[in-house]
């Protein structure tokens, strides 16, 4: 099994004799793994998701998806966000970039998927050196260990069996239909208080996957210990049905922490459904959505006096046959006492010095913000575009853009520092 680590927009080639060593920008993988990625690319394209782009017969280019892809031959590709400036001449710099970008991706996933996180001080700093799948596995195992220590929940399950003694309820019809030779056998029905319940079955199934997938020594050791301690729990025979039956409430509060980690391992997040196909422990997330959730989360924290809403959709562009059509859905809507603000996030690098190229801003984005200003704010307030911070390239807001024929409506373009999100204040 081979592991590769790349970043967004990296190239993936078929490995050949004498090929260069893989790096963050270019990976050389086995031919079987490459063929599998080509098949995935065709499947994703059919459903409108652009994860890979063919750049030749033997080359693929990644798009704005991050996470982990595992192929049937055992090749595992970790895709990190392209955030830190990279000096290809410095190998040590590449290792530092991996740690920083893994840390960023872990923080963004924790926020976006509402994952519970526990920090253990200096001892927990090594989590940034773990590949994404090993980090998820370690979080799952730590949650499972705490759950076992506090006590697994049991449940009553109805059992139908035949015994030589009476217990519970006698099934009279079955008993009367028995031949005389079996009159001493009683068909009975009763409840058994046992650990076999949907939540425990799902966790046990996730643990079996972890035992097969992890290559980290400490994760493997803990997984085997938990496997021995919970051997009486059966695996889930229908994962989707058991997920629907996962209960919440005061009596199951201990399970709230482990549920999202279990879903990550069992659900295998992919941009489109690949039901019935191999996709290993594959987890792919669109960076645009992760960035949007990350900005919204820190706005909640930095602006406690405001109400921050995501995907606020109350306005439409058109009326059609006595109804509304073409919904407008800004990424973030901020409600204030004096004025509301509409905000959109864009995971794209722009350059504040490129005046001739309009800083890298797209016409469609500006037109979209004008529509938000008109329909949501009646041109009485401001709309804001948020892009990632780049030192020396985009480290301060651009001069305001004023919409024509309006009194106070303007567009602001501001940077968001992913390394210092607590400093993001738009007011």
């Amino acid at each position: 099994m081979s592991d590769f680590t790349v970043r967004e927009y990296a190239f993936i080639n078929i490995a050949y004799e004498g090929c260069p060593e893989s790096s963050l920008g270019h990976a050389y993988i086995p031919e079987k793994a490459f063929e599998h990625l080509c098949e995935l690319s065709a499947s994703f394209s059919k459903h409108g998701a652009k994860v890979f782009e063919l750049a030749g017969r033997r080359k693929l280019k990644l798009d704005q998806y991050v996470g982990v892809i595992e192929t049937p031959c055992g090749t595992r590709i970790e895709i990190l966000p392209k955030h830190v400036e990279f000096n290809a001449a410095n190998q040590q710099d590449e290792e530092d970039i991996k740690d920083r970008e893994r840390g960023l991706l872990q923080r963004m996933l924790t926020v976006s998927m509402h994952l519970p996180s526990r920090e253990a001080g200096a001892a927990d700093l090594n989590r940034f050196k773990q590949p994404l799948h090993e980090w998820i596995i370690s979080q799952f195992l730590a949650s499972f260990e705490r759950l076992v220590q506090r006590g697994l929940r049991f449940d009553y399950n109805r059992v139908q069996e035949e015994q030589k003694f009476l217990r519970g309820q006698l099934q009279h019809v079955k008993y009367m239909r028995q031949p005389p030779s079996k009159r001493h056998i009683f068909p009975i029905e009763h409840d058994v208080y046992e650990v076999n319940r949907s939540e425990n079955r799902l966790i046990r199934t996730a643990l079996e996957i972890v035992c097969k997938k992890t290559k980290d020594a400490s994760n493997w050791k803990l997984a085997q210990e938990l496997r021995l301690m919970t051997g009486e729990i059966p695996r889930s025979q229908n994962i989707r049905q058991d997920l629907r039956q996962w209960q919440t409430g005061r009596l199951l509060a201990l399970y709230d922490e482990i549920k999202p980690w279990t879903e990550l391992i069992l659900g295998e997040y992919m941009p489109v459904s690949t039901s019935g196909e191999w996709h290993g422990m594959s987890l792919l997330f669109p960076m645009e959505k992760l960035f949007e959730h990350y900005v919204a989360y820190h706005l909640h924290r930095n602006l406690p006096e405001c109400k921050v809403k995501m995907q606020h959709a109350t306005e439409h562009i058109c009326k059609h046959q006595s109804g509304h059509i073409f919904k407008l859905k800004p990424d973030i809507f901020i409600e204030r006492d004096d004025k509301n603000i509409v905000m959109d996030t864009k995971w794209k690098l722009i350059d504040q010095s490129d005046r001739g190229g309009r800083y890298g801003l797209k016409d469609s984005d500006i037109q979209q913000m004008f529509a938000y200003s008109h329909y949501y704010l009646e041109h009485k307030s401001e709309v804001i575009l948020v892009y990632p911070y780049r030192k020396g390239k985009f480290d301060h807001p651009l001069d305001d853009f004023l919409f024509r024929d309006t009194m106070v409506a303007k567009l602001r373009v501001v940077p968001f520092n992913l390394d210092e999100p607590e400093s993001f204040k738009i007011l």
Side-chain angles (χ1 to χ4, degrees):
M1 183 181 287
S2 303
D3 287 0
F4 300 88
T5 300
V6 293
R7 304 200 296 177
E8 294 173 273
Y9 304 110
F11 289 97
I12 297 179
N13 270 69
I14 299 176
Y16 56 90
E17 187 176 353
C19 67
E21 187 177 347
S22 295
S23 64
L24 286 175
H26 215 135
Y28 295 87
I29 66 174
E31 186 172 357
K32 286 186 178 180
F34 185 86
E35 291 173 355
H36 177 72
L37 294 187
C38 290
E39 292 173 2
L40 273 182
S41 176
S43 173
F44 294 152
S45 299
K46 190 186 303 181
H47 293 84
K50 185 181 177 184
V51 179
F52 310 100
E53 180 182 346
L54 284 172
R57 294 181 61 186
R58 302 170 66 87
K59 182 186 290 187
L60 289 171
K61 184 180 180 183
L62 297 175
D63 206 82
Q64 283 190 342
Y65 280 85
V66 294
V68 179
I69 300 175
E70 184 179 331
T71 68
C73 67
T75 300
R76 191 177 285 154
I77 303 170
E78 180 186 23
I79 309 171
L80 301 176
K82 193 172 184 179
H83 164 55
V84 182
E85 295 294 332
F86 172 55
N87 179 9
N90 190 342
Q91 190 67 25
Q92 185 63 36
D93 184 43
E94 180 170 326
E95 292 303 316
D96 179 61
I97 287 174
K98 287 182 184 179
D99 294 343
R100 291 175 61 187
E101 292 185 340
R102 278 175 182 153
L104 171 64
L105 180 53
Q106 290 166 14
R107 291 193 299 272
M108 296 179 87
L109 283 176
T110 300
V111 167
S112 299
M113 304 194 68
H114 309 289
L115 299 174
S117 61
R118 288 172 177 255
E119 302 299 331
D124 203 43
L125 294 177
N126 287 332
R127 71 193 189 282
F128 294 152
K129 298 182 182 297
Q130 293 179 306
L132 179 64
H133 60 280
E134 293 290 357
W135 171 71
I136 291 173
I137 287 172
S138 65
Q139 296 293 326
F140 166 78
L141 292 174
S143 298
F144 193 15
E145 185 180 31
R146 284 189 288 271
L147 179 62
V148 171
Q149 290 170 350
R150 295 174 181 178
L152 296 169
R153 290 297 180 210
F154 285 58
D155 199 4
Y156 286 101
N157 290 315
R158 181 55 59 97
V159 175
Q160 294 183 355
E161 58 182 352
E162 293 183 344
Q163 293 288 353
K164 294 181 180 181
F165 54 83
L166 283 172
R167 180 184 180 184
Q169 182 179 1
L170 176 67
Q171 295 180 288
H172 293 280
V173 175
K174 285 187 177 180
Y175 182 68
M176 296 299 291
R177 289 177 177 174
Q178 288 185 166
S181 60
K182 290 188 64 177
R183 284 299 172 93
H184 65 291
I185 303 295
F186 300 101
I188 58 176
E189 187 176 35
H190 60 96
D191 291 331
V192 177
Y193 193 55
E194 58 183 358
V195 75
N196 182 14
R197 57 181 299 151
S198 58
E199 298 86 358
N200 294 334
R201 290 195 298 270
L202 289 169
I203 296 171
R204 173 69 186 192
T205 306
L207 180 64
E208 292 296 329
I209 294 174
V210 163
C211 290
K212 295 177 183 177
K213 300 296 183 183
T214 184
K215 295 198 293 185
D216 181 84
S218 58
N219 283 345
W220 185 87
K221 181 175 180 293
L222 180 55
Q224 296 301 325
E225 291 174 357
L226 291 170
R227 193 181 193 182
L228 290 173
M229 294 167 62
T230 58
E232 71 278 12
I233 303 176
R235 300 185 194 181
S236 173
Q237 301 301 315
N238 191 327
I239 291 176
R240 291 186 179 179
Q241 180 178 333
D242 281 346
L243 280 171
R244 287 194 296 267
Q245 293 177 352
W246 188 300
Q247 299 179 20
T248 57
R250 182 176 58 85
L251 296 178
L252 290 168
L254 296 177
Y255 284 77
D256 291 344
E257 179 183 338
I258 196 173
K259 183 180 180 182
W261 301 113
T262 305
E263 289 176 331
L264 266 178
I265 293 172
L266 294 178
E268 299 174 346
Y269 282 67
M270 296 289 272
V272 297
S273 174
T274 53
S275 178
E277 300 176 11
W278 164 272
H279 43 104
M281 188 176 173
S282 298
L283 309 160
L284 289 175
F285 308 91
M287 271 306 300
E288 282 192 354
K289 284 297 179 183
L290 293 182
F291 184 53
E292 174 190 326
H293 283 82
Y294 199 60
V295 172
Y297 171 79
H298 286 286
L299 280 172
H300 273 293
R301 300 188 63 177
N302 299 342
L303 302 173
E305 71 279 5
C306 300
K307 184 179 291 186
V308 180
K309 300 179 180 179
M310 294 186 62
Q311 297 296 315
H312 182 69
T314 58
E315 301 294 334
H316 298 74
I317 294 180
C318 301
K319 287 186 177 181
H320 179 67
Q321 295 179 351
S322 70
H324 294 91
I325 195 171
F326 302 124
K327 185 180 295 185
L328 285 170
K329 189 185 295 184
D331 293 341
I332 301 171
F333 186 81
I334 302 175
E335 287 186 358
R336 301 178 64 203
D337 294 335
D338 53 345
K339 62 178 181 179
N340 298 330
I341 297 175
V342 170
M343 180 181 296
D344 249 23
T345 59
K346 304 294 180 183
W347 183 252
K348 179 186 175 184
L349 301 180
I350 64 173
D351 189 346
Q352 63 198 18
S353 64
D354 187 15
R355 174 67 180 84
R358 298 182 299 181
Y359 313 106
L361 302 176
K362 293 175 62 176
D363 289 350
S364 58
D365 293 338
I366 305 303
Q367 293 159 6
Q368 185 180 40
M369 299 310 290
F370 180 83
Y372 292 156
S373 177
H374 177 76
Y375 286 99
Y376 278 95
L377 307 175
E378 297 179 348
H379 295 310
K380 294 178 180 178
S381 185
E382 59 192 16
V383 289
I384 302 175
L385 276 173
V386 183
Y387 291 86
Y389 170 97
R390 297 172 70 199
K391 187 175 181 180
K393 296 286 188 179
F394 183 47
D395 50 18
H396 62 266
L398 300 181
D399 292 340
D400 293 342
F401 296 83
L402 301 177
F403 291 129
R404 289 182 54 191
D405 304 325
T406 62
M407 297 295 292
V408 295
K410 62 183 178 181
L411 167 66
R412 293 172 58 196
V413 180
V414 301
F416 181 88
N417 192 334
L418 290 158
D419 298 319
E420 299 176 7
E422 64 280 352
S423 64
F424 184 64
K425 295 181 180 178
I426 58 170
L427 307 178

